[in-house]
Amino acid sequence: WPKLVISVFLSIIATALALIPSMLTKSLIDDILPNNDMAMLMQVVVTLIALQIISHVISGTRGYVLRLVGDRIVSNLRNDVYEKAQYLPMRFYDKTSTGSVINRISGDSATLQAFMLRITQEGVVQFFKMIGIIVIMLCINWKLTLLSLFPVPLVAIGSRIFSKKIAPFYRRIWRRSAAVSGVLTDTIPGIRVIKSFTNEKNATEMFKEKTKEWCETSVKAGKIIHAYPATVNTFVGFGSVVIWMLGGMAVLGVSGASVGEITAGMLVSFI
């Protein structure tokens, strides 16, 4: 737990550092470039270089800490699952394939580790970054902020629909993958028996059948998996277009923009 707390703390620092360049961009466009302020420009450049170095050092440290925690958790999990498997009754193994058991001990724990590392490294950082960005945007121009957030309800609804659609496919993929592992664990250790009865062709055909079932299920799931991000990015892109249009009109001084007075640097920082 102490290491997880440290990683979260480092994530907060990394998020705060990631928000600084957008603020510097506003100052660069509105103040430094129009006034030909070379001294201020060099200060911004030095600041950005320092931010890059510090951010990468923090990211590397956070990644190592999370990897260390994830490896220990997965190691303990594998030991517990294996120990539990030793004491399960024989009727469990009569109904469950060997490949499923091996997949739970090895494959599922590895998937859990990848999930933990991805969520803690990306999910936590992105969450804090989102909060920070929204706060800064509200302080700069609340009208543009509300316009930029209009795709959020659509994304939330889409996520709900996507989770319901994709969950059955992931369960099927897991079962197909377990079936493939089951064939491997049943045939490879008994390869001498298979060769003794010249049963190589049947074993190969059985493996191809299980692999084909897994491939077909994965392809069906892939349609939904790739359709969802494309749809979300489309909605987000529409939000950017709206900001460009209304924000650009406000910068040009066109009446009816309804977003208040903004500068070019402010608009770029929003985008």
Side-chain angles (χ1 to χ4, degrees), residues 53-267:
I53 296 175
I54 297 173
S55 296
H56 285 89
V57 170
I58 292 177
S59 298
T61 304
R62 186 184 70 245
Y64 172 75
V65 172
L66 291 175
R67 183 78 184 192
L68 183 63
V69 174
D71 287 344
R72 290 180 178 178
I73 292 176
V74 171
S75 177
N76 293 332
L77 180 62
R78 285 178 175 174
N79 292 335
D80 293 340
V81 174
Y82 183 79
E83 182 180 3
K84 179 66 176 179
Q86 299 301 310
Y87 295 97
L88 290 173
M90 287 303 301
R91 63 177 178 272
F92 171 82
Y93 292 100
D94 293 336
K95 299 178 181 179
T96 307
S97 65
T98 306
S100 297
V101 178
I102 294 177
N103 206 29
R104 288 182 185 275
I105 297 175
S106 180
D108 289 357
S109 57
T111 303
L112 178 62
Q113 181 185 27
F115 173 79
M116 290 172 55
L117 293 176
R118 185 178 298 112
I119 290 298
T120 49
Q121 288 196 70
E122 299 179 10
V124 174
V125 172
Q126 294 302 323
F127 173 77
F128 286 121
K129 183 180 291 187
M130 179 186 67
I131 299 299
I133 289 175
I134 292 176
V135 171
I136 293 176
M137 290 170 64
L138 287 172
C139 294
I140 295 176
N141 189 300
W142 65 270
K143 292 182 179 180
L144 270 183
T145 302
L146 294 180
L147 288 174
S148 65
L149 294 177
F150 93 89
V152 172
L154 299 176
V155 173
I157 295 173
S159 300
R160 180 67 176 174
I161 298 174
F162 171 75
S163 62
K164 291 183 177 180
K165 292 287 186 181
I166 199 62
F169 282 100
Y170 275 125
R171 286 192 289 267
R172 293 173 197 166
I173 290 174
W174 184 90
R175 288 195 293 267
R176 300 294 185 267
S177 178
V180 172
S181 299
V183 173
L184 289 173
T185 55
D186 291 340
T187 55
I188 298 301
I191 190 66
R192 290 182 176 83
V193 177
I194 293 176
K195 287 184 173 295
S196 299
F197 290 92
T198 62
N199 200 30
E200 295 91 344
K201 184 176 181 180
N202 290 335
T204 302
E205 292 297 327
M206 181 171 59
F207 183 77
K208 287 182 178 180
E209 179 183 355
K210 298 299 182 182
T211 304
K212 181 181 178 181
E213 293 175 355
W214 168 83
C215 182
E216 292 175 349
T217 305
S218 182
V219 169
K220 292 179 181 178
K223 296 178 181 178
I224 302 177
I225 293 173
H226 292 286
Y228 172 71
T231 304
V232 170
N233 291 332
T234 300
F235 287 129
V236 174
F238 287 156
S240 298
V241 171
V242 171
I243 295 176
W244 271 115
M245 181 182 68
L246 297 180
M249 292 171 62
V251 172
L252 295 175
V254 178
S255 60
S258 301
V259 294
E261 296 183 0
I262 65 173
T263 63
M266 187 184 300
L267 176 60

Side-chain angles (χ1 to χ4, degrees), residues 10 24 48 72 117 170 229 271:
L10 293 176
L24 294 177
L48 290 175
R72 290 180 178 178
L117 293 176
Y170 275 125
I271 303 299

